[in-house]
Amino acid sequence: MAAALAGIRILDLSQGVAGPLGVLLLAEHGADVVKVEPPGGDPARAYEGSRVWHRSRRSVELDLLDEAGRAAFDDLVRAADIVVESHRPSVRTRLGLDHERLAAINPRIVLVSCAGYPDGHRRAERAGHDALVQASSGQMWEQPGWRMGPVFCHMPMPSMGALYLVAIGAITGLVARERTGVGQHVRTSLFQGALLYTTQIWQDVERANAQFHELMGKSYPPGIHQQMIYECARREWLHLSVMSGLTPLKSVDEILGLEDAPDPYTFMALPPEEREVITARRREKFKDWDRDALVAEFRANNHAAEAVIPPAEMFAHPQTIANGLTATVVDPEIGSTTQMGVPIHLLGTPGEIRGPRPLAGAHTDEVRREWAAAIQAGVPAKAAASLPAGGFALDGVRVIDFGQYLAGPFGPMILADLGAHVVKVEPVTGDGMRLAPKPFFGCQRGKRSIAVNLKDPRGLEVAQRLIGGADVVHHNMTRGVATKLGIDYAACRAIRDDVIYCNTYAYGLPDPLGRFGGLDPLYQASGGLEYEAGAVAAGGAPLYYRFGMCDASNALLSTVGVLLALAHRARTGEGQELWTSLHDGGVIFSSDVYLDADGRPWDRPRLDVGLHGLDALYRLYPTQDAQWIVIAATADASWRALCNTLGLSGLPDDARFATAAARIAHRAELEELLAAAFLTRTARFWHRMLDDAGVANELPIDTEDGLGVLHDADAVRLGLVAEYEHPLLGRMRQFGSLIDLSATPGTVWGPPPLVGQHTRAILREAGVLDGDADALLAAGVCYEPDDGLVDYATRYTN
């Protein structure tokens, strides 16, 4: 088969991380991507990680502020399918990138905009550096560290969320265009990328008690999953998972050689002080072990465990290699490199790296000739059509979601938000994640639920009926489980030959670790995230990100993959199988890492041990009033303006700080000088002064467990907050629209469903007669809640 996006042309004018990396997912599945750079090249080329993020595309140099450059760009727009840009609204207009102008040139164009903040937000014209969005969105306060107060997240989390929204929005625009014949303006932002990863932790629920919030609650010292990080010999670390999907052959304490240790049930019944003594003994036992030997011993006994490693070591991980995520790319400037491979595994239309980062402007003449010829040949081929009223982007797409926990169900929830009709198939006892309500509610809204026992032949027959009417079958079962249940790809394809079938694994499909299940923290360890988050290289301890982003990343990779497969099927009629993994979802967060020909990583910016920032001019500083401010003085002009504002006007001429390289070499000295200056006045004072001086900055916001955002006037007005009524818990608020599509908007169908809340209605739609449905329910093959709740569900969904 041809690649999923073969024949699709994309103009990439984005800067930063989210746009280039989101576009990379499209480029390596067949899109012809052209990076449009200003004369002299994109300034982001100075960041070495761009060698990965800007690969698999060609480069043209055009000056969009020049009449001739604008005309040349317009010629390219005539042949393009998608334009991606990341500018503030005023800059977008000044460069001629507003949708109205581009649509007048090419009515089929899909314009994807990803600035720092949504259009219409009070911060829409403010600088959108990732650290500033971390601060203004509340992420810095949500992540506990080894001190009180906001923490600088090493992983650019808003950007690493928005990358997926860029890719999802772009392909959704294409899928909708197949139906409508016209393009549209797709808008998202780094701010919405930050909201994406709050799905498990930010929920305002009317009748929730303390226990509802406790599992995912913020704590000092850091809580959830952090306690499963253990120090081994030579101050190396590992992360042990509480779940592997396999039956352990020995207990953890037996493997460690911890004598007189009680079994887990007895341990939990002991008084807290006795548990603390045993836990301390256990931690000391870990220190007797060589880390890698202990990881191997745990795996041999069916426990999932991962070494906490620097990101550069992820390329040698056996599962990274098995998944094809270790790739050799010959860069035109520095030669052979080792980089991340393609993290979405379409088995019918496999992706591939299409080349290294190009030299700036290397293809200007070539692309202009080729795309002009395409216009002469009749591209775009289809005329614009009138849009049917009220259509959602994924109208008519039916998804059957067999997933449980988060990495499976979160992807179908995003598809539901885009208008797909999602049916959740869960056991009659309910999804296992229902015992952890916040994570459960974070990935289930907008779905209908049917509860059915797939192990009963009658239940399997129900599942087969649902599959027969499905476009997409999606789940996260451990390898081999779907085959045992009779719902693997072969079985589903026998029912519907154009079905799109997606499995979101823990490690991936192949050996050596494909048989294991696992939880998010394992892949924060194997992807180098915990190592960098805790500044281990500077003497700190590994730090788990409480957002659970590897779960979400796996799910979002699957969302992109399903949309790629839908786009391909819309043109060819061919379905296919695909898979993604938590492991790969962790690797993409460290995708700016590469190794040179000698196996050495480039000197990537790192956090200080206090978790304040990446360098003296891109970090947090405490102020006089015990508050904090974040600065992003990333250009020479802003560096000088910063010094003048702080009363340190002599620093730019000091030899220690006269150049960017010198400032890095003398980072500690510069940070000490700036920190002393910031402590002389309040955070609000400095915020206003720096705004007046043109120095990008923000004040980190403590959202009080998300309430500040979920009840923010701008967020509510712009649809960034969703509110609905749950039949048991009352009014609920979560994040709302992550992607705004101008012509085919998304929707939130309703709250997370009760177990089997829609069983009878779904059986009827599948052609099961009411009498037969009664028999299935009576036999316990299917389940529905009591009549009152069923009546409520009927009123709500109709």
Side-chain angles (χ1 to χ4, degrees):
M1 293 185 192
L5 295 183
I8 297 298
R9 296 183 177 87
I10 300 177
L11 295 172
D12 178 19
L13 297 92
S14 64
Q15 299 174 336
V17 180
L21 189 49
V23 168
L24 181 69
L25 297 180
L26 311 183
E28 296 186 343
H29 284 279
D32 179 7
V33 176
V34 171
K35 180 173 176 58
V36 181
E37 308 190 56
D42 184 346
R45 286 177 172 270
Y47 184 72
E48 281 296 308
S50 73
R51 295 189 188 278
V52 183
W53 294 337
H54 293 171
R55 76 186 186 202
S56 292
R57 65 201 74 189
R58 296 184 287 176
S59 169
V60 304
E61 286 187 339
L62 296 175
D63 185 352
L64 298 190
L65 297 176
D66 173 81
E67 185 176 346
R70 180 78 61 86
F73 174 72
D74 290 352
D75 287 340
L76 296 179
V77 170
R78 290 183 178 89
D81 297 281
I82 299 171
V83 173
V84 181
E85 62 86 26
S86 57
H87 299 287
R88 300 192 299 270
S90 61
V91 177
R92 185 190 310 151
T93 299
R94 181 158 55 89
L95 294 175
L97 298 176
D98 51 284
H99 181 252
E100 292 75 12
R101 199 185 83 83
L102 298 185
I105 298 169
N106 178 358
R108 288 172 54 80
I109 202 73
V110 175
L111 172 63
V112 181
S113 296
C114 181
Y117 301 94
D119 287 7
H121 194 277
R122 62 184 177 279
R123 289 190 172 93
E125 291 294 339
R126 293 186 66 80
H129 299 282
D130 190 274
L132 303 182
V133 180
Q134 283 187 35
S136 64
S137 68
Q139 281 196 332
M140 286 183 168
W141 271 101
E142 282 302 317
Q143 177 59 44
W146 306 121
R147 57 168 174 78
M148 300 295 286
V151 164
F152 193 109
C153 298
H154 183 275
M155 189 190 89
M157 207 170 301
S159 297
M160 288 295 178
L163 88 89
Y164 289 118
L165 303 182
V166 166
I168 290 168
I171 312 170
T172 301
L174 287 180
V175 171
R177 193 181 70 175
E178 287 292 322
R179 175 170 55 83
T180 67
V182 294
Q184 58 184 306
H185 194 182
V186 178
R187 290 177 292 187
T188 188
S189 67
L190 300 195
F191 188 82
Q192 287 156 291
L195 293 182
L196 179 66
Y197 293 130
T198 68
T199 190
Q200 299 185 71
I201 59 177
W202 283 4
Q203 296 166 25
D204 182 21
V205 181
E206 181 180 6
R207 292 196 285 273
N209 57 19
Q211 186 178 0
F212 177 94
H213 295 285
E214 182 180 2
L215 176 65
M216 301 303 295
K218 177 183 172 183
S219 64
Y220 290 96
I224 181 71
H225 291 303
Q226 184 72 36
Q227 67 271 21
M228 300 300 287
I229 298 176
Y230 293 94
E231 183 181 351
C232 299
R234 299 182 302 279
R235 208 170 182 274
E236 294 185 315
W237 307 79
L238 65 76
H239 206 137
L240 180 65
S241 178
V242 298
M243 182 183 296
S244 70
L246 303 172
T247 302
L249 304 180
K250 292 182 182 178
S251 72
V252 169
D253 290 337
E254 286 175 322
I255 293 168
L256 291 173
L258 183 65
E259 297 177 356
D260 302 322
D263 65 79
Y265 298 103
T266 302
F267 175 82
M268 293 306 298
L270 293 174
E273 58 273 15
E274 291 187 36
R275 294 203 304 267
E276 289 176 10
V277 170
I278 295 170
T279 298
R281 288 177 55 216
R282 183 180 295 122
R283 288 196 174 276
E284 288 302 312
K285 272 294 183 182
F286 272 88
K287 293 179 182 178
D288 293 338
W289 279 80
D290 172 82
R291 180 197 63 190
D292 293 342
L294 185 53
V295 168
E297 188 68 17
F298 278 138
R299 289 175 180 164
N301 285 280
N302 290 347
H303 292 276
E306 282 295 335
V308 177
I309 57 173
E313 294 182 15
M314 67 186 180
F315 295 115
H317 191 291
Q319 198 65 35
T320 308
I321 297 169
N323 289 359
L325 263 285
T326 296
T328 300
V329 178
V330 180
D331 185 277
E333 295 173 305
I334 63 172
S336 182
T337 64
T338 301
Q339 301 182 11
M340 173 191 77
V342 180
I344 301 172
H345 305 271
L346 296 176
L347 302 188
T349 57
E352 63 177 356
I353 297 171
R354 304 181 72 190
R357 182 184 74 172
L359 299 175
H363 308 96
T364 302
D365 293 338
E366 172 186 299
V367 168
R368 292 183 66 181
R369 283 195 306 270
E370 281 185 18
W371 287 30
I375 291 292
Q376 292 295 321
V379 174
K382 296 181 181 178
S386 297
L387 178 69
F392 298 122
L394 297 184
D395 251 357
V397 175
R398 190 172 179 87
V399 180
I400 306 300
D401 174 16
F402 289 104
Q404 295 194 64
Y405 300 96
L406 194 129
F410 188 51
M413 187 188 93
I414 298 299
L415 295 173
D417 284 356
L418 294 169
H421 297 274
V422 179
V423 171
K424 176 177 179 58
V425 181
E426 58 185 316
V428 293
T429 53
D431 184 333
M433 185 64 97
R434 287 183 180 271
L435 297 175
K438 280 187 104 169
F440 177 81
F441 289 134
C443 59
Q444 300 292 353
R445 75 177 182 206
K447 305 177 186 178
R448 296 187 300 157
S449 168
I450 178 172
V452 58
N453 179 7
L454 297 179
K455 297 178 181 179
D456 187 295
R458 294 165 293 178
L460 177 59
E461 183 181 349
V462 169
Q464 291 169 338
R465 285 175 176 267
L466 298 177
I467 292 165
D471 298 285
V472 178
V473 173
H474 194 286
H475 67 83
N476 60 331
M477 298 176 195
T478 304
R479 190 180 70 190
V481 172
T483 300
K484 291 178 182 177
L485 292 173
I487 55 169
D488 61 3
Y489 177 59
C492 292
R493 191 169 186 269
I495 298 168
R496 177 165 178 170
D497 63 3
D498 66 348
V499 72
I500 293 164
Y501 186 94
C502 179
N503 194 336
T504 58
Y505 292 104
Y507 279 96
L509 178 60
D511 289 324
L513 301 174
R515 68 192 180 94
F516 278 89
L519 299 178
D520 171 271
L522 292 173
Y523 313 101
Q524 291 198 32
S526 63
L529 305 182
E530 291 179 336
Y531 184 93
E532 295 287 20
V536 174
L543 182 62
Y544 171 74
Y545 286 117
R546 66 184 289 259
F547 302 91
M549 320 83 49
C550 292
D551 272 327
S553 182
N554 185 10
L556 293 161
L557 284 169
S558 80
T559 307
V560 176
V562 165
L563 289 167
L564 287 167
L566 283 170
H568 176 76
R569 193 183 73 172
R571 298 198 310 275
T572 67
E574 299 165 342
Q576 61 179 303
E577 182 180 9
L578 68 128
W579 62 270
T580 60
S581 73
L582 280 156
H583 180 85
D584 295 2
V587 168
I588 198 171
F589 291 144
S590 296
S591 55
D592 55 331
V593 177
Y594 70 81
L595 309 180
D596 66 16
D598 295 321
R600 296 171 303 195
W602 70 279
D603 191 13
R604 191 171 180 236
R606 282 180 164 162
L607 286 173
D608 63 302
V609 73
L611 310 183
H612 296 103
L614 299 181
D615 65 41
L617 303 182
Y618 194 64
R619 61 160 275 172
L620 281 156
Y621 285 98
T623 56
Q624 183 187 57
D625 53 345
Q627 299 298 311
W628 298 78
I629 190 168
V630 184
I631 62 169
T634 54
D636 188 65
S638 59
W639 151 240
R640 289 184 173 274
L642 172 69
C643 292
N644 291 337
T645 304
L646 294 176
L648 301 171
S649 57
L651 286 188
D653 299 319
D654 187 318
R656 294 172 298 168
F657 314 125
T659 66
R663 292 191 288 273
I664 292 172
H666 297 275
R667 172 179 173 179
E669 297 168 71
L670 181 56
E671 287 177 331
E672 184 177 353
L673 291 167
L674 296 179
F678 275 113
L679 284 171
T680 63
R681 302 299 291 266
T682 68
R684 183 64 60 181
F685 173 86
W686 289 126
H687 176 58
R688 290 169 176 151
M689 292 291 288
L690 292 176
D691 273 359
D692 288 350
V695 179
N697 75 95
E698 291 291 349
L699 303 183
I701 294 173
D702 184 351
T703 68
E704 298 182 355
D705 205 23
L707 295 180
V709 172
L710 295 178
H711 292 271
D712 177 82
D714 275 3
V716 173
R717 175 175 56 84
L718 295 172
L720 306 185
V721 176
E723 181 174 301
Y724 27 72
E725 191 79 12
H726 188 273
L728 297 180
L729 295 175
R731 177 193 49 76
M732 295 182 65
R733 283 194 177 197
Q734 295 172 278
F735 71 72
S737 173
L738 299 175
I739 304 170
D740 175 55
L741 295 103
S742 61
T744 57
T747 186
V748 175
W749 295 101
L754 303 175
V755 180
Q757 184 173 338
H758 311 92
T759 293
R760 190 176 291 273
I762 293 169
L763 288 172
R764 188 177 298 119
E765 291 167 10
V768 177
L769 299 177
D770 287 347
D772 293 333
D774 291 337
L776 291 170
L777 290 162
V781 176
C782 295
Y783 168 82
E784 66 178 354
D786 65 53
D787 291 342
L789 292 176
V790 171
D791 289 344
Y792 175 94
T794 302
R795 291 197 306 273
Y796 192 93
T797 55
N798 287 346

